[in-house]
Amino acid sequence: MKHIKSVAAIHDISGIGKCSLTVIIPTLSAMGVQVCPVPTAVLSAHTGFGEFVMRDLTDFVSDALEHYHKLGTDFDCVYSGFLASQQQIDHCLDFLSAYQDALKVVDPVMGDNGKPYKTYTNEMCAKMVQLVRAADIITPNLTEAAILLGEDYPYGKLSVSEVKSWLVRLSQLGPKTVVITSVNISDNGISSVGYDALSNSFWRVVNDYVPASYSGCGDLYTAVLTGGLLSGDSLPVAMSRASGFTKLTVKTTYSYGLTKYDGILFEPQLPWLNGYNDFSDFESF
């Protein structure tokens, strides 16, 4: 039987709102990647609802790793996202250390729109830097990039030189590949931008603007990016694939007049991931 790539996905799972594992599992599965979920917490609804029921699964993460050691389980990728405690960040570091040959993807989920999430303390944000140092690839949004660099959140446009500086400085923390998922660049609108330190190359994909935001978009983007890289995509092609699918699902969601609480309407579009698509809408900068 042909071997398929496998990912240990260390994320929370929310019953309502469509984000984290409820987005990541079907997306990577549709791309032919096996997902081994390692839930960090179970929530009745994602944190954007304000009120929710949550069960912390910190002890499960370390126990799962111990069990996988006993089974001799191997993973092609370890991919972490929302974490509920400093201890969970330590457990993620243990996962990354245990699978040295795996692609190490860290989505440093800490905040959005210029502010950290209520569950993230200053200590947790500082601890996240340690996890970033151990990663091969990180995919922060602009808020998370600012937190990692100790910068004020830029509410206006950034120049090309400023964006490049942020990408390089993030890479200097440890990861060889950095993708900031959404940046307002002064000369070309909203873009996702990437940096490959090994080739010292900068890439961007310009995103269509939609006057709405939905939960799960960042998870969707990083899941598709990860699936593309595991299938052999170059960084700009993987970015283009991730941006293309995210754009399609956001526009679909917006067309139905759904709210941010409904989450991203991605399920009807999953076949797109295995169709013929042009992934050439990237450029160096």
Side-chain angles (χ1 to χ4, degrees), residues 46-89:
H46 67 65
T47 57
F49 280 80
E51 294 184 2
F52 51 89
V53 178
M54 175 177 165
R55 297 291 181 268
D56 187 293
L57 297 178
T58 297
D59 291 342
F60 174 80
V61 179
S62 57
D63 290 346
L65 176 58
E66 182 179 350
H67 187 221
Y68 297 151
H69 278 158
K70 290 179 180 178
L71 294 176
T73 304
D74 199 10
F75 295 107
D76 298 289
C77 173
V78 177
Y79 164 26
S80 70
F82 176 81
L83 302 172
S85 67
Q86 290 187 61
Q87 192 175 358
Q88 286 188 0
I89 298 176

mmCIF file of all heavy atoms in Angstrom, residues 46-89:
data_model
loop_
_atom_site.group_PDB
_atom_site.id
_atom_site.type_symbol
_atom_site.label_atom_id
_atom_site.label_comp_id
_atom_site.label_asym_id
_atom_site.label_seq_id
_atom_site.Cartn_x
_atom_site.Cartn_y
_atom_site.Cartn_z
ATOM 1 N N HIS A 46 -15.960 27.984 19.948
ATOM 2 C CA HIS A 46 -14.662 28.650 20.019
ATOM 3 C C HIS A 46 -14.744 29.913 20.872
ATOM 4 O O HIS A 46 -15.836 30.410 21.190
ATOM 5 C CB HIS A 46 -14.102 28.924 18.629
ATOM 6 C CG HIS A 46 -14.858 29.933 17.817
ATOM 7 N ND1 HIS A 46 -14.968 31.263 18.166
ATOM 8 C CD2 HIS A 46 -15.527 29.820 16.647
ATOM 9 C CE1 HIS A 46 -15.648 31.926 17.269
ATOM 10 N NE2 HIS A 46 -16.018 31.064 16.329
ATOM 11 N N THR A 47 -13.583 30.430 21.226
ATOM 12 C CA THR A 47 -13.505 31.505 22.224
ATOM 13 C C THR A 47 -14.141 32.806 21.758
ATOM 14 O O THR A 47 -14.446 33.670 22.573
ATOM 15 C CB THR A 47 -12.044 31.771 22.601
ATOM 16 O OG1 THR A 47 -11.289 32.093 21.413
ATOM 17 C CG2 THR A 47 -11.418 30.538 23.255
ATOM 18 N N GLY A 48 -14.354 32.954 20.459
ATOM 19 C CA GLY A 48 -14.981 34.157 19.951
ATOM 20 C C GLY A 48 -16.420 34.327 20.381
ATOM 21 O O GLY A 48 -16.984 35.427 20.261
ATOM 22 N N PHE A 49 -17.031 33.255 20.892
ATOM 23 C CA PHE A 49 -18.406 33.351 21.356
ATOM 24 C C PHE A 49 -18.512 34.074 22.702
ATOM 25 O O PHE A 49 -19.601 34.427 23.125
ATOM 26 C CB PHE A 49 -19.017 31.947 21.483
ATOM 27 C CG PHE A 49 -19.486 31.374 20.171
ATOM 28 C CD1 PHE A 49 -18.587 30.805 19.284
ATOM 29 C CD2 PHE A 49 -20.824 31.409 19.825
ATOM 30 C CE1 PHE A 49 -19.015 30.286 18.069
ATOM 31 C CE2 PHE A 49 -21.263 30.888 18.619
ATOM 32 C CZ PHE A 49 -20.351 30.330 17.734
ATOM 33 N N GLY A 50 -17.373 34.261 23.369
ATOM 34 C CA GLY A 50 -17.401 34.927 24.671
ATOM 35 C C GLY A 50 -17.689 33.963 25.803
ATOM 36 O O GLY A 50 -16.933 33.868 26.766
ATOM 37 N N GLU A 51 -18.802 33.252 25.727
ATOM 38 C CA GLU A 51 -19.140 32.222 26.711
ATOM 39 C C GLU A 51 -19.012 30.859 26.053
ATOM 40 O O GLU A 51 -19.496 30.637 24.945
ATOM 41 C CB GLU A 51 -20.555 32.419 27.242
ATOM 42 C CG GLU A 51 -20.740 33.692 28.054
ATOM 43 C CD GLU A 51 -22.140 33.795 28.637
ATOM 44 O OE1 GLU A 51 -22.934 32.849 28.435
ATOM 45 O OE2 GLU A 51 -22.443 34.817 29.276
ATOM 46 N N PHE A 52 -18.351 29.937 26.754
ATOM 47 C CA PHE A 52 -18.180 28.590 26.219
ATOM 48 C C PHE A 52 -17.798 27.659 27.365
ATOM 49 O O PHE A 52 -17.366 28.094 28.436
ATOM 50 C CB PHE A 52 -17.092 28.553 25.141
ATOM 51 C CG PHE A 52 -15.780 29.180 25.561
ATOM 52 C CD1 PHE A 52 -14.796 28.422 26.192
ATOM 53 C CD2 PHE A 52 -15.542 30.524 25.346
ATOM 54 C CE1 PHE A 52 -13.607 28.987 26.588
ATOM 55 C CE2 PHE A 52 -14.345 31.115 25.747
ATOM 56 C CZ PHE A 52 -13.375 30.346 26.360
ATOM 57 N N VAL A 53 -17.971 26.379 27.129
ATOM 58 C CA VAL A 53 -17.558 25.358 28.088
ATOM 59 C C VAL A 53 -16.264 24.743 27.575
ATOM 60 O O VAL A 53 -16.153 24.401 26.395
ATOM 61 C CB VAL A 53 -18.641 24.260 28.236
ATOM 62 C CG1 VAL A 53 -18.165 23.174 29.198
ATOM 63 C CG2 VAL A 53 -19.950 24.874 28.729
ATOM 64 N N MET A 54 -15.285 24.611 28.444
ATOM 65 C CA MET A 54 -13.963 24.121 28.021
ATOM 66 C C MET A 54 -13.440 23.070 28.984
ATOM 67 O O MET A 54 -13.587 23.207 30.204
ATOM 68 C CB MET A 54 -12.981 25.298 27.943
ATOM 69 C CG MET A 54 -11.545 24.914 27.624
ATOM 70 S SD MET A 54 -10.507 26.399 27.461
ATOM 71 C CE MET A 54 -8.865 25.660 27.556
ATOM 72 N N ARG A 55 -12.850 22.017 28.439
ATOM 73 C CA ARG A 55 -12.156 20.997 29.218
ATOM 74 C C ARG A 55 -10.698 20.956 28.791
ATOM 75 O O ARG A 55 -10.388 20.680 27.637
ATOM 76 C CB ARG A 55 -12.804 19.617 29.023
ATOM 77 C CG ARG A 55 -14.240 19.527 29.496
ATOM 78 C CD ARG A 55 -14.339 19.618 31.015
ATOM 79 N NE ARG A 55 -15.721 19.499 31.468
ATOM 80 C CZ ARG A 55 -16.540 20.521 31.668
ATOM 81 N NH1 ARG A 55 -16.103 21.760 31.435
ATOM 82 N NH2 ARG A 55 -17.782 20.338 32.068
ATOM 83 N N ASP A 56 -9.820 21.272 29.706
ATOM 84 C CA ASP A 56 -8.387 21.271 29.438
ATOM 85 C C ASP A 56 -7.877 19.834 29.357
ATOM 86 O O ASP A 56 -8.195 19.005 30.198
ATOM 87 C CB ASP A 56 -7.662 22.026 30.552
ATOM 88 C CG ASP A 56 -6.190 22.229 30.265
ATOM 89 O OD1 ASP A 56 -5.460 21.229 30.231
ATOM 90 O OD2 ASP A 56 -5.776 23.378 30.103
ATOM 91 N N LEU A 57 -7.073 19.543 28.319
ATOM 92 C CA LEU A 57 -6.561 18.182 28.117
ATOM 93 C C LEU A 57 -5.033 18.155 28.171
ATOM 94 O O LEU A 57 -4.391 17.379 27.467
ATOM 95 C CB LEU A 57 -7.041 17.638 26.766
ATOM 96 C CG LEU A 57 -8.546 17.470 26.603
ATOM 97 C CD1 LEU A 57 -8.883 16.962 25.195
ATOM 98 C CD2 LEU A 57 -9.106 16.509 27.644
ATOM 99 N N THR A 58 -4.465 18.990 29.010
ATOM 100 C CA THR A 58 -3.011 19.075 29.098
ATOM 101 C C THR A 58 -2.376 17.722 29.379
ATOM 102 O O THR A 58 -1.390 17.337 28.721
ATOM 103 C CB THR A 58 -2.609 20.080 30.195
ATOM 104 O OG1 THR A 58 -3.086 21.379 29.834
ATOM 105 C CG2 THR A 58 -1.098 20.122 30.368
ATOM 106 N N ASP A 59 -2.907 16.982 30.326
ATOM 107 C CA ASP A 59 -2.323 15.679 30.671
ATOM 108 C C ASP A 59 -2.400 14.700 29.507
ATOM 109 O O ASP A 59 -1.518 13.838 29.356
ATOM 110 C CB ASP A 59 -3.036 15.087 31.896
ATOM 111 C CG ASP A 59 -2.750 15.857 33.168
ATOM 112 O OD1 ASP A 59 -1.759 16.615 33.178
ATOM 113 O OD2 ASP A 59 -3.519 15.720 34.134
ATOM 114 N N PHE A 60 -3.439 14.816 28.683
ATOM 115 C CA PHE A 60 -3.592 13.902 27.554
ATOM 116 C C PHE A 60 -2.452 14.041 26.555
ATOM 117 O O PHE A 60 -1.990 13.049 25.981
ATOM 118 C CB PHE A 60 -4.925 14.142 26.841
ATOM 119 C CG PHE A 60 -5.085 13.334 25.583
ATOM 120 C CD1 PHE A 60 -5.471 12.008 25.644
ATOM 121 C CD2 PHE A 60 -4.824 13.896 24.341
ATOM 122 C CE1 PHE A 60 -5.594 11.254 24.490
ATOM 123 C CE2 PHE A 60 -4.943 13.153 23.177
ATOM 124 C CZ PHE A 60 -5.340 11.828 23.255
ATOM 125 N N VAL A 61 -1.981 15.266 26.328
ATOM 126 C CA VAL A 61 -0.959 15.498 25.309
ATOM 127 C C VAL A 61 0.314 14.726 25.633
ATOM 128 O O VAL A 61 0.886 14.039 24.773
ATOM 129 C CB VAL A 61 -0.664 17.006 25.165
ATOM 130 C CG1 VAL A 61 0.423 17.246 24.118
ATOM 131 C CG2 VAL A 61 -1.936 17.767 24.798
ATOM 132 N N SER A 62 0.775 14.809 26.871
ATOM 133 C CA SER A 62 1.994 14.089 27.253
ATOM 134 C C SER A 62 1.757 12.588 27.267
ATOM 135 O O SER A 62 2.636 11.807 26.859
ATOM 136 C CB SER A 62 2.472 14.566 28.627
ATOM 137 O OG SER A 62 1.461 14.396 29.610
ATOM 138 N N ASP A 63 0.577 12.148 27.705
ATOM 139 C CA ASP A 63 0.272 10.711 27.715
ATOM 140 C C ASP A 63 0.202 10.159 26.301
ATOM 141 O O ASP A 63 0.627 9.018 26.040
ATOM 142 C CB ASP A 63 -1.050 10.456 28.435
ATOM 143 C CG ASP A 63 -0.958 10.691 29.932
ATOM 144 O OD1 ASP A 63 0.178 10.781 30.447
ATOM 145 O OD2 ASP A 63 -2.012 10.783 30.593
ATOM 146 N N ALA A 64 -0.336 10.950 25.375
ATOM 147 C CA ALA A 64 -0.410 10.506 23.981
ATOM 148 C C ALA A 64 0.982 10.304 23.402
ATOM 149 O O ALA A 64 1.253 9.303 22.725
ATOM 150 C CB ALA A 64 -1.189 11.529 23.150
ATOM 151 N N LEU A 65 1.891 11.258 23.671
ATOM 152 C CA LEU A 65 3.254 11.129 23.176
ATOM 153 C C LEU A 65 3.912 9.875 23.729
ATOM 154 O O LEU A 65 4.581 9.130 22.993
ATOM 155 C CB LEU A 65 4.072 12.369 23.549
ATOM 156 C CG LEU A 65 5.557 12.338 23.170
ATOM 157 C CD1 LEU A 65 5.750 12.136 21.681
ATOM 158 C CD2 LEU A 65 6.244 13.625 23.628
ATOM 159 N N GLU A 66 3.722 9.608 25.002
ATOM 160 C CA GLU A 66 4.292 8.413 25.608
ATOM 161 C C GLU A 66 3.753 7.148 24.932
ATOM 162 O O GLU A 66 4.506 6.195 24.662
ATOM 163 C CB GLU A 66 3.974 8.382 27.102
ATOM 164 C CG GLU A 66 4.575 7.189 27.847
ATOM 165 C CD GLU A 66 4.264 7.218 29.325
ATOM 166 O OE1 GLU A 66 3.746 8.244 29.807
ATOM 167 O OE2 GLU A 66 4.546 6.204 29.997
ATOM 168 N N HIS A 67 2.459 7.141 24.643
ATOM 169 C CA HIS A 67 1.860 5.974 23.992
ATOM 170 C C HIS A 67 2.389 5.793 22.571
ATOM 171 O O HIS A 67 2.663 4.673 22.130
ATOM 172 C CB HIS A 67 0.338 6.110 23.963
ATOM 173 C CG HIS A 67 -0.365 4.892 23.468
ATOM 174 N ND1 HIS A 67 -1.442 4.946 22.620
ATOM 175 C CD2 HIS A 67 -0.125 3.569 23.702
ATOM 176 C CE1 HIS A 67 -1.844 3.716 22.348
ATOM 177 N NE2 HIS A 67 -1.062 2.864 22.994
ATOM 178 N N TYR A 68 2.574 6.901 21.846
ATOM 179 C CA TYR A 68 3.102 6.800 20.486
ATOM 180 C C TYR A 68 4.532 6.273 20.493
ATOM 181 O O TYR A 68 4.944 5.540 19.575
ATOM 182 C CB TYR A 68 3.038 8.172 19.794
ATOM 183 C CG TYR A 68 1.624 8.693 19.621
ATOM 184 C CD1 TYR A 68 1.353 10.059 19.599
ATOM 185 C CD2 TYR A 68 0.547 7.821 19.492
ATOM 186 C CE1 TYR A 68 0.064 10.536 19.461
ATOM 187 C CE2 TYR A 68 -0.744 8.289 19.345
ATOM 188 C CZ TYR A 68 -0.983 9.641 19.342
ATOM 189 O OH TYR A 68 -2.260 10.110 19.205
ATOM 190 N N HIS A 69 5.293 6.621 21.524
ATOM 191 C CA HIS A 69 6.633 6.046 21.664
ATOM 192 C C HIS A 69 6.549 4.532 21.805
ATOM 193 O O HIS A 69 7.306 3.786 21.169
ATOM 194 C CB HIS A 69 7.328 6.641 22.890
ATOM 195 C CG HIS A 69 7.957 7.970 22.634
ATOM 196 N ND1 HIS A 69 8.231 8.874 23.628
ATOM 197 C CD2 HIS A 69 8.352 8.562 21.488
ATOM 198 C CE1 HIS A 69 8.794 9.949 23.112
ATOM 199 N NE2 HIS A 69 8.865 9.792 21.822
ATOM 200 N N LYS A 70 5.640 4.062 22.635
ATOM 201 C CA LYS A 70 5.493 2.625 22.853
ATOM 202 C C LYS A 70 5.073 1.903 21.576
ATOM 203 O O LYS A 70 5.500 0.779 21.307
ATOM 204 C CB LYS A 70 4.459 2.366 23.954
ATOM 205 C CG LYS A 70 4.908 2.776 25.348
ATOM 206 C CD LYS A 70 3.829 2.508 26.377
ATOM 207 C CE LYS A 70 4.274 2.918 27.777
ATOM 208 N NZ LYS A 70 3.202 2.696 28.796
ATOM 209 N N LEU A 71 4.236 2.574 20.784
ATOM 210 C CA LEU A 71 3.767 1.975 19.536
ATOM 211 C C LEU A 71 4.809 2.052 18.418
ATOM 212 O O LEU A 71 4.677 1.370 17.402
ATOM 213 C CB LEU A 71 2.496 2.687 19.062
ATOM 214 C CG LEU A 71 1.243 2.534 19.930
ATOM 215 C CD1 LEU A 71 0.112 3.396 19.362
ATOM 216 C CD2 LEU A 71 0.816 1.073 20.000
ATOM 217 N N GLY A 72 5.813 2.865 18.622
ATOM 218 C CA GLY A 72 6.798 3.079 17.565
ATOM 219 C C GLY A 72 6.248 3.907 16.417
ATOM 220 O O GLY A 72 6.714 3.801 15.275
ATOM 221 N N THR A 73 5.266 4.737 16.719
ATOM 222 C CA THR A 73 4.611 5.548 15.697
ATOM 223 C C THR A 73 5.542 6.638 15.191
ATOM 224 O O THR A 73 6.239 7.291 15.962
ATOM 225 C CB THR A 73 3.333 6.194 16.263
ATOM 226 O OG1 THR A 73 2.485 5.167 16.783
ATOM 227 C CG2 THR A 73 2.592 6.966 15.181
ATOM 228 N N ASP A 74 5.535 6.811 13.873
ATOM 229 C CA ASP A 74 6.339 7.876 13.264
ATOM 230 C C ASP A 74 5.404 8.873 12.593
ATOM 231 O O ASP A 74 4.298 8.531 12.176
ATOM 232 C CB ASP A 74 7.296 7.289 12.235
ATOM 233 C CG ASP A 74 8.443 8.230 11.921
ATOM 234 O OD1 ASP A 74 8.592 9.246 12.628
ATOM 235 O OD2 ASP A 74 9.180 7.965 10.954
ATOM 236 N N PHE A 75 5.835 10.107 12.494
ATOM 237 C CA PHE A 75 5.055 11.146 11.831
ATOM 238 C C PHE A 75 5.934 11.886 10.839
ATOM 239 O O PHE A 75 7.119 12.109 11.077
ATOM 240 C CB PHE A 75 4.488 12.145 12.847
ATOM 241 C CG PHE A 75 3.487 11.558 13.794
ATOM 242 C CD1 PHE A 75 3.831 11.333 15.133
ATOM 243 C CD2 PHE A 75 2.214 11.227 13.370
ATOM 244 C CE1 PHE A 75 2.913 10.797 16.017
ATOM 245 C CE2 PHE A 75 1.285 10.681 14.246
ATOM 246 C CZ PHE A 75 1.635 10.465 15.571
ATOM 247 N N ASP A 76 5.337 12.276 9.717
ATOM 248 C CA ASP A 76 6.053 13.091 8.736
ATOM 249 C C ASP A 76 6.033 14.562 9.113
ATOM 250 O O ASP A 76 6.855 15.344 8.627
ATOM 251 C CB ASP A 76 5.418 12.915 7.347
ATOM 252 C CG ASP A 76 5.516 11.488 6.855
ATOM 253 O OD1 ASP A 76 6.635 11.063 6.520
ATOM 254 O OD2 ASP A 76 4.486 10.799 6.825
ATOM 255 N N CYS A 77 5.087 14.933 9.975
ATOM 256 C CA CYS A 77 4.937 16.337 10.355
ATOM 257 C C CYS A 77 4.324 16.418 11.738
ATOM 258 O O CYS A 77 3.454 15.615 12.088
ATOM 259 C CB CYS A 77 4.043 17.051 9.336
ATOM 260 S SG CYS A 77 3.597 18.768 9.755
ATOM 261 N N VAL A 78 4.786 17.367 12.529
ATOM 262 C CA VAL A 78 4.141 17.737 13.791
ATOM 263 C C VAL A 78 3.684 19.176 13.626
ATOM 264 O O VAL A 78 4.486 20.058 13.285
ATOM 265 C CB VAL A 78 5.093 17.603 14.987
ATOM 266 C CG1 VAL A 78 4.409 18.072 16.265
ATOM 267 C CG2 VAL A 78 5.564 16.165 15.138
ATOM 268 N N TYR A 79 2.398 19.418 13.854
ATOM 269 C CA TYR A 79 1.778 20.706 13.547
ATOM 270 C C TYR A 79 0.968 21.162 14.757
ATOM 271 O O TYR A 79 0.014 20.512 15.141
ATOM 272 C CB TYR A 79 0.910 20.515 12.299
ATOM 273 C CG TYR A 79 -0.118 21.573 11.966
ATOM 274 C CD1 TYR A 79 0.002 22.900 12.373
ATOM 275 C CD2 TYR A 79 -1.216 21.229 11.187
ATOM 276 C CE1 TYR A 79 -0.950 23.839 12.036
ATOM 277 C CE2 TYR A 79 -2.177 22.172 10.836
ATOM 278 C CZ TYR A 79 -2.045 23.462 11.257
ATOM 279 O OH TYR A 79 -2.990 24.400 10.922
ATOM 280 N N SER A 80 1.385 22.260 15.366
ATOM 281 C CA SER A 80 0.713 22.747 16.571
ATOM 282 C C SER A 80 -0.030 24.047 16.303
ATOM 283 O O SER A 80 0.335 24.824 15.411
ATOM 284 C CB SER A 80 1.722 22.956 17.704
ATOM 285 O OG SER A 80 2.569 24.057 17.426
ATOM 286 N N GLY A 81 -1.082 24.284 17.105
ATOM 287 C CA GLY A 81 -1.880 25.493 16.971
ATOM 288 C C GLY A 81 -2.240 26.075 18.317
ATOM 289 O O GLY A 81 -1.366 26.307 19.148
ATOM 290 N N PHE A 82 -3.540 26.255 18.573
ATOM 291 C CA PHE A 82 -3.993 26.857 19.826
ATOM 292 C C PHE A 82 -3.604 25.979 21.013
ATOM 293 O O PHE A 82 -3.882 24.782 21.037
ATOM 294 C CB PHE A 82 -5.510 27.036 19.810
ATOM 295 C CG PHE A 82 -6.070 27.560 21.108
ATOM 296 C CD1 PHE A 82 -6.032 28.907 21.407
ATOM 297 C CD2 PHE A 82 -6.610 26.696 22.047
ATOM 298 C CE1 PHE A 82 -6.547 29.397 22.601
ATOM 299 C CE2 PHE A 82 -7.132 27.170 23.256
ATOM 300 C CZ PHE A 82 -7.091 28.522 23.521
ATOM 301 N N LEU A 83 -2.974 26.600 22.015
ATOM 302 C CA LEU A 83 -2.555 25.891 23.216
ATOM 303 C C LEU A 83 -3.137 26.597 24.436
ATOM 304 O O LEU A 83 -3.211 27.822 24.482
ATOM 305 C CB LEU A 83 -1.025 25.833 23.296
ATOM 306 C CG LEU A 83 -0.353 25.175 22.093
ATOM 307 C CD1 LEU A 83 1.155 25.323 22.165
ATOM 308 C CD2 LEU A 83 -0.739 23.703 21.988
ATOM 309 N N ALA A 84 -3.554 25.804 25.415
ATOM 310 C CA ALA A 84 -4.337 26.340 26.526
ATOM 311 C C ALA A 84 -3.517 26.671 27.767
ATOM 312 O O ALA A 84 -4.056 27.229 28.715
ATOM 313 C CB ALA A 84 -5.446 25.345 26.900
ATOM 314 N N SER A 85 -2.216 26.331 27.778
ATOM 315 C CA SER A 85 -1.421 26.571 28.981
ATOM 316 C C SER A 85 0.066 26.533 28.635
ATOM 317 O O SER A 85 0.472 26.018 27.592
ATOM 318 C CB SER A 85 -1.726 25.510 30.045
ATOM 319 O OG SER A 85 -1.272 24.232 29.620
ATOM 320 N N GLN A 86 0.881 27.080 29.551
ATOM 321 C CA GLN A 86 2.333 26.999 29.374
ATOM 322 C C GLN A 86 2.793 25.551 29.342
ATOM 323 O O GLN A 86 3.724 25.201 28.611
ATOM 324 C CB GLN A 86 3.031 27.749 30.508
ATOM 325 C CG GLN A 86 2.872 29.259 30.460
ATOM 326 C CD GLN A 86 3.730 29.958 31.498
ATOM 327 O OE1 GLN A 86 4.947 29.840 31.468
ATOM 328 N NE2 GLN A 86 3.096 30.672 32.417
ATOM 329 N N GLN A 87 2.153 24.725 30.146
ATOM 330 C CA GLN A 87 2.537 23.315 30.189
ATOM 331 C C GLN A 87 2.317 22.645 28.841
ATOM 332 O O GLN A 87 3.102 21.788 28.425
ATOM 333 C CB GLN A 87 1.750 22.591 31.279
ATOM 334 C CG GLN A 87 2.273 21.186 31.592
ATOM 335 C CD GLN A 87 1.533 20.557 32.768
ATOM 336 O OE1 GLN A 87 0.651 21.173 33.373
ATOM 337 N NE2 GLN A 87 1.880 19.326 33.083
ATOM 338 N N GLN A 88 1.261 23.036 28.148
ATOM 339 C CA GLN A 88 1.023 22.464 26.829
ATOM 340 C C GLN A 88 2.113 22.869 25.840
ATOM 341 O O GLN A 88 2.473 22.086 24.960
ATOM 342 C CB GLN A 88 -0.352 22.891 26.320
ATOM 343 C CG GLN A 88 -1.498 22.181 27.016
ATOM 344 C CD GLN A 88 -2.842 22.459 26.376
ATOM 345 O OE1 GLN A 88 -2.941 23.202 25.396
ATOM 346 N NE2 GLN A 88 -3.885 21.862 26.924
ATOM 347 N N ILE A 89 2.632 24.076 25.975
ATOM 348 C CA ILE A 89 3.753 24.484 25.119
ATOM 349 C C ILE A 89 4.956 23.580 25.380
ATOM 350 O O ILE A 89 5.644 23.152 24.448
ATOM 351 C CB ILE A 89 4.102 25.959 25.352
ATOM 352 C CG1 ILE A 89 2.914 26.855 24.973
ATOM 353 C CG2 ILE A 89 5.343 26.353 24.541
ATOM 354 C CD1 ILE A 89 3.135 28.339 25.255
#
